[in-house]
Amino acid sequence: MTTTAPAGVLGSLLPPYVHCAEAFGPLDAGRLHPSEAAYIRDRSPRRRQQFTTARTLARRALAELGHPPVPLLPGPGGAPQWPSGAAGSITHTRGYTACAVTSTGRHVSLGIDAEPVRPLPHGVLDLVSSQDERRGLAALPVGEVPWDAVFFSAKEAVYKAVHPLTRRWTALAAITVAVHPDGTFTARHPHHDNVGTGQWGVHRDILMTALALPPTA
């Protein structure tokens, strides 16, 4: 059964003027614009369902900003091309899809990511982290959450937030992240100086991370 998440789940990780829409399961009532339907037509049924759910949620969130329904086709790197004056991010994992949007007058970009609450597959952490980062993870309290999954998700959120601004592919290993037990993470990106602090949390066995980038001075 599909349920729409309460506004406080993802929204609690982002500033109050970021509009979020979430769903646990597919939204059967969602519809695509003709250009979106043409884009996704040849993909697998599962991918088409993910795409439809994500676009439905994105239009709901954009409506709260006053934007009319518009096609949200992927741009360079695969992220949606948001309407003028809006910035946003979409994420999905098994059983969960979410979108967050905001006015570019508030934040220049957003990055959100969702992952299952379980440790990373063997070998993945070594590919995306430095020795210093692994030492930092090893020093965190044992048994609270899979810290490597929080770490990976935080890097994904940072990548999603920065890529629309730079249009440059960046390896996750080049992004520096430190995870903190208080529900925050700090990050540095090699191609963007103003990343700062993001938030993480867990709900219904789903790990969520979120980052909002303020306008540059």
Side-chain angles (χ1 to χ4, degrees):
M1 180 175 124
T2 298
T3 58
T4 301
V9 178
L10 179 61
S12 67
L13 305 181
L14 288 161
Y17 38 79
V18 176
H19 298 279
C20 302
E22 304 163 273
F24 294 93
L27 296 176
D28 296 331
R31 294 185 178 181
L32 295 177
H33 284 258
S35 58
E36 293 171 332
Y39 171 83
I40 203 70
R41 181 180 297 124
D42 296 330
R43 306 298 179 89
S44 68
R46 180 170 178 267
R47 179 67 186 113
R48 290 199 302 270
Q49 185 65 74
Q50 287 177 336
F51 187 92
T52 302
T53 298
R55 266 58 190 177
T56 301
L57 293 173
R59 279 188 272 274
R60 288 182 184 177
L62 285 167
E64 296 183 13
L65 282 179
H67 289 272
V70 295
L72 298 170
L73 293 170
Q81 299 180 82
W82 301 100
S84 178
S89 185
I90 285 173
T91 189
H92 52 75
T93 188
R94 186 173 295 277
Y96 178 75
T97 307
C99 174
V101 299
T102 190
S103 164
T104 52
R106 296 281 193 173
H107 289 284
V108 293
S109 192
L110 301 174
I112 64 172
D113 186 69
E115 304 287 342
V117 182
R118 62 178 180 234
L120 294 177
H122 179 72
V124 172
L125 182 62
D126 288 344
L127 293 176
V128 300
S129 65
S130 67
Q131 190 173 52
D132 284 346
E133 288 173 319
R134 292 192 291 276
R135 279 196 289 263
L137 290 174
L140 293 170
V142 175
E144 294 196 8
V145 292
W147 295 115
D148 59 346
V150 180
F151 173 83
F152 178 85
S153 184
K155 289 208 173 193
E156 287 280 351
V158 174
Y159 179 89
K160 289 180 177 182
V162 174
H163 182 267
L165 304 178
T166 65
R167 302 295 186 187
R168 296 175 67 175
W169 180 83
T170 306
L172 293 186
I175 299 168
T176 303
V177 162
V179 175
H180 310 296
D182 64 357
T184 66
F185 64 88
T186 50
R188 296 195 308 274
H189 193 287
H191 305 136
H192 189 79
D193 294 331
N194 194 23
V195 175
T197 301
Q199 307 284 330
W200 65 268
V202 174
H203 181 75
R204 288 196 185 184
D205 296 324
I206 296 168
L207 166 69
M208 307 174 196
T209 54
L211 177 70
L213 300 184
T216 54

